[in-house]
Each structure stands twice: as structure tokens, then as C-alpha cells.
């Protein structure tokens, strides 16, 4: 049988410049059939990568690009080659300064949807959950999501934003929480995605989390964001431009894994307003891991009034860190805090 299946791209590519030399390192491929690697370089992020090496032995994980052009940002990518001669797609590029853009790439294992297209939401959720270390059966994710779809989509086979959010929040490991973000413009949606993918979740491993959005505004075409390219680090500057995103399209006839699309390509073709008749129609939406609002909530004890809220004793302690509570407990605490403020029986201290 002729082997035509390419291996996965190597992970962990990084580069360090020293004079006119750039030293590149990467992680050894775990795939036994990989026999070598090939390195590529470009002066632009959008493409034009040319090979700078012949096949490098699979036992090697370093390479020096001698005499590399100086004074400009360079971009490097790597591929793996197997014993049958099949070459993988290129890895997410790494930028080597000076004045290169901010690039964050997440090593998200690819997964294709070999089921009907309407399962792309569940497959996208599984990709993210697998990356976070929570491996769940696909059909369990799908069933949980459908029950949480908006009432307008009760009979639909796809997962809508509410269904996808429910799946991610029900099955994610501790310290993560997902929300639906809705914007009026594609530009703001791109900034949302870039900002929250670059956000490091405190105390969590992995700290950066992929996002997901419905391509073409269609809930049957969810795509996972596995990397961002911006002019500045969104966590360090408010004055940044989104250059593009790396996407993993789980649909078998789609873009595939690790496909880079510029901001203009995204706005013209992929990141479009929702086409479905629901609360998000005409909006640009994504499901991301923004932080829960971390707050210390102090609730004054007032038995006659708090008893009506059926708040358990452990939720009426003097101080609680909201990030340590379950989703249901946070809802109860919020309800108690709102009622306490309305009835003037409590105080609050919010620390974001």
C-alpha cells in the first residue's frame, strides 16, 4: 500500500539571532516514521517561504542559518519528512527580530471532523478540551451542547454559541471559564480574539487558550483559533493591530490545520456576521476564555432576608474568592450580593 499520509509538523520552533547567524531549535518529532526535517525562511509573515536546508536528520533538533539577512524581521517555519518522502505542512512561523510582530502559537493537536458537518461545534470543543487536558467522548460533548442551545435552535443539529459555551464550561479543567463575546464589527471581534488568546490564565497549565468562531457566520462551520499575529503584544499595549490568525478548520473539506489568514482575508471571507435568526444575528461572535471577574464579595449576615435566598452557610462566610467557587456557587453569590445591595444589608469590594 502506497503511503501518502504526511506526518505532523514539528513543535516548539524557536530562533535566536547572533550577528548574521540565526540559531534555530525545535522539539524532536514523536512520530517514529519521521526521518528528517526541512527549514524555511521568509521576509514576510504572509508567505513566500523558501527552503534554507536540505533534509536534516531526525536525530538533530538544531540548525544555524548562517549569513541571514540583517536589519529586518525574519520568519522561520519547519516541516517533518517521513520515510516514504511525505512532507508535513509548515509549522506556525517564529519571528526573529528586529522589530518583528508579536506571534503566539499554541501547539494544539489537530482533529478532523469525519462526522456530519453539523458536528463541527462539538469537534471544535473537543479540540480545545483535549488541549486543556480534558479528554471527553465526542458524542457526550455534542449531547450536552444541544441541550443548551438557544430556544430558537432547539430543533437544530448544530451547536450554537450558547451550546458550545456550555460544553466548554461543563467539561473544562479548573481555573478556566468561557464566554460568548459579541461585537458589531469584525475589527473589534479580531481584537477580542487576539487579546484573550494572548491572555495568560493565572495558575493554569496551559495558560493560553484557543478561541473559536463560526466561519461565514454559520454555526455549522466552527473554526478554532490556534495562534495570533499582532503588531504589539495585546497584553502590553492597547495600540496594536491584528495582522492575522492561525486557524484549525475541523471540517474535512475545509482549510485544515494551522492555516494562516491575514486580517483582511478574515474580514472579507471567514469572520462574517451571524446568519442565523437569533440574538446574535448580524453580530460578529466568538467563544473565548476571558477571565471571570475576580472579586472579593463580603455579605453581611441578615438571617431574615438571606434565608429567602436559600444561601448555604459556606456561602455566607466573611470573605470569598470568586475564582475558587463553582459556576453555580458564583451565581448564588452574585444573587446574594445584588440583593444585599438593593436591601442595603451588605457591602462589596471588587478587585479586577
Amino acid at each position: 500500500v502506497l503511503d501518502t499520509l504526511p506526518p505532523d509538523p514539528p513543535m516548539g520552533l524557536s530562533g535566536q539571532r547572533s550577528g548574521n547567524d540565526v540559531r534555530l531549535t525545535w522539539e524532536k518529532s514523536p512520530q517514529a516514521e519521521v526521518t528528517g526535517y526541512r527549514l524555511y525562511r521568509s521576509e514576510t509573515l504572509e508567505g513566500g517561504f523558501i527552503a534554507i536546508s536540505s533534509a536534516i536528520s531526525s536525530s538533530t533538533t538544531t540548525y544555524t542559518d548562517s549569513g541571514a539577512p540583517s536589519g529586518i524581521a525574519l520568519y522561520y517555519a519547519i516541516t517533518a519528512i517521513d520515510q516514504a518522502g511525505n512532507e508535513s505542512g509548515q509549522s506556525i512561523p517564529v519571528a526573529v527580530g528586529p522589530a518583528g510582530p508579536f506571534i503566539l502559537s499554541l501547539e494544539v493537536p489537530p482533529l478532523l471532523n469525519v462526522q456530519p458537518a453539523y458536528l463541527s461545534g462539538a469537534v471544535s470543543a473537543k479540540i480545545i478540551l483535549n488541549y486543556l487536558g480534558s479528554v471527553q467522548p465526542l458524542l457526550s460533548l455534542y449531547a450536552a451542547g444541544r441541550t443548551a442551545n438557544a430556544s430558537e435552535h432547539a430543533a437544530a443539529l448544530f451547536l450554537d454559541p450558547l451550546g458550545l459555551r456550555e460544553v466548554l464550561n461543563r467539561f473544562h479543567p479548573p481555573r478556566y471559564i468561557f464566554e460568548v463575546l459579541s461585537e458589531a464589527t469584525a475589527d473589534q471581534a479580531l481584537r477580542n480574539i487576539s487579546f484573550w488568546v494572548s491572555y495568560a490564565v493565572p495558575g493554569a497549565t496551559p495558560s493560553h487558550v484557543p478561541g473559536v468562531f463560526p466561519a461565514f457566520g454559520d454555526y455549522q462551520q466552527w473554526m478554532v483559533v490556534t495562534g495570533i499575529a499582532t503588531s504589539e503584544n495585546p497584553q502590553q499595549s492597547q495600540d496594536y493591530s491584528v495582522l492575522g490568525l492561525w486557524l484549525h478548520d475541523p471540517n474535512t473539506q475545509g482549510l485544515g490545520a494551522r492555516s494562516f489568514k491575514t486580517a483582511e482575508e478574515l474580514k472579507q471571507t471567514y469572520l462574517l456576521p451571524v446568519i442565523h435568526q437569533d440574538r446574535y444575528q448580524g453580530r460578529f461572535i466568538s467563544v473565548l476564555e476571558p477571565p471571570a471577574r475576580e472579586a472579593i464579595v463580603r455579605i453581611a449576615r441578615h438571617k431574615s432576608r438571606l434565608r429567602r435566598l436559600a444561601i448555604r452557610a459556606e456561602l455566607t462566610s466573611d470573605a470569598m474568592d470568586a475564582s475558587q467557587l463553582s459556576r453555580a456557587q458564583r451565581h448564588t453569590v452574585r444573587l446574594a450580593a445584588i440583593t444585599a445591595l438593593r436591601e442595603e444589608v451588605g457591602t462589596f469590594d471588587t478587585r479586577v
Side-chain angles (χ1 to χ4, degrees):
V1 178
L2 182 63
D3 179 9
T4 60
L5 184 65
D8 295 329
M11 294 184 175
L13 179 65
S14 63
Q16 182 68 45
R17 179 185 283 278
S18 177
N20 288 333
D21 295 341
V22 175
R23 185 174 185 271
L24 301 161
T25 61
W26 59 91
E27 297 176 11
K28 180 179 174 61
S29 173
Q31 295 176 288
E33 66 271 21
V34 169
T35 59
Y37 309 103
R38 183 170 289 125
L39 285 152
Y40 293 81
R41 184 184 70 207
S42 176
E43 296 181 6
T44 66
L45 185 61
E46 289 79 8
F49 284 84
I50 59 172
I52 59 171
S53 74
S54 55
I56 302 169
S57 169
S58 61
S59 62
T60 300
T61 56
T62 64
Y63 180 84
T64 298
D65 182 17
S66 301
S70 59
I72 59 173
L74 297 174
Y75 304 91
Y76 291 89
I78 188 171
T79 62
I81 304 169
D82 67 17
Q83 56 196 5
N86 300 309
E87 186 173 5
S88 73
Q90 293 179 359
S91 67
I92 290 180
V94 60
V96 178
F102 174 79
I103 293 178
L104 174 65
S105 60
L106 307 182
E107 304 290 1
V108 179
L111 180 66
L112 288 178
N113 178 24
V114 296
Q115 307 292 334
Y118 59 76
L119 285 176
S120 76
V123 174
S124 296
K126 184 170 178 59
I127 290 170
I128 295 174
L129 291 170
N130 285 355
Y131 172 75
L132 298 180
S134 176
V135 179
Q136 306 291 334
L138 176 63
L139 293 183
S140 296
L141 302 180
Y142 176 63
R146 281 202 67 199
T147 61
N149 274 355
S151 58
E152 301 95 320
H153 306 308
L157 295 177
F158 54 68
L159 297 191
D160 70 10
L162 301 182
L164 190 51
R165 179 187 66 180
E166 173 64 22
V167 171
L168 292 169
N169 281 332
R170 183 181 301 188
F171 295 101
H172 67 66
R175 296 190 178 276
Y176 302 103
I177 187 167
F178 291 83
E179 292 293 347
V180 179
L181 276 66
S182 170
E183 297 294 345
T185 68
D187 284 320
Q188 188 55 50
L190 282 172
R191 288 179 64 86
N192 276 346
I193 292 170
S194 299
F195 186 85
W196 292 118
V197 170
S198 64
Y199 172 78
V201 180
T205 302
S207 59
H208 297 287
V209 183
V212 61
F213 70 89
F216 321 112
D218 186 353
Y219 299 155
Q220 295 194 93
Q221 301 284 335
W222 291 94
M223 289 187 185
V224 180
V225 178
T226 60
I228 66 168
T230 54
S231 59
E232 308 285 343
N233 184 339
Q235 300 300 317
Q236 298 176 0
S237 172
Q238 294 183 354
D239 185 21
Y240 66 91
S241 300
V242 180
L243 305 179
L245 303 175
W246 278 273
L247 306 174
H248 176 32
D249 183 355
N251 297 290
T252 54
Q253 303 301 316
L255 297 175
R258 299 183 180 92
S259 176
F260 180 77
K261 296 299 177 186
T262 66
E264 287 306 311
E265 287 177 306
L266 289 162
K267 290 189 290 184
Q268 292 175 10
T269 305
Y270 300 100
L271 186 58
L272 301 181
V274 169
I275 62 174
H276 301 276
Q277 295 182 353
D278 59 14
R279 71 183 74 180
Y280 300 117
Q281 186 176 22
R283 306 278 294 181
F284 298 84
I285 68 107
S286 54
V287 182
L288 301 165
E289 204 290 338
R293 297 184 186 276
E294 297 178 359
I296 301 298
V297 182
R298 299 186 182 277
I299 304 174
R301 296 177 184 271
H302 194 293
K303 294 183 180 180
S304 63
R305 294 176 181 176
L306 292 180
R307 185 177 295 117
R308 296 202 302 270
L309 295 173
I311 299 176
R312 296 183 299 277
E314 66 266 25
L315 292 184
T316 57
S317 59
D318 289 338
M320 288 166 287
D321 184 349
S323 66
Q324 303 301 314
L325 301 178
S326 70
R327 193 175 176 213
Q329 288 175 320
R330 284 198 298 272
H331 176 75
T332 304
V333 170
R334 283 196 295 268
L335 177 61
I338 291 169
T339 301
L341 288 171
R342 286 174 177 169
E343 300 191 8
E344 298 181 347
V345 298
T347 60
F348 71 94
D349 175 20
T350 303
R351 305 170 188 176
V352 178

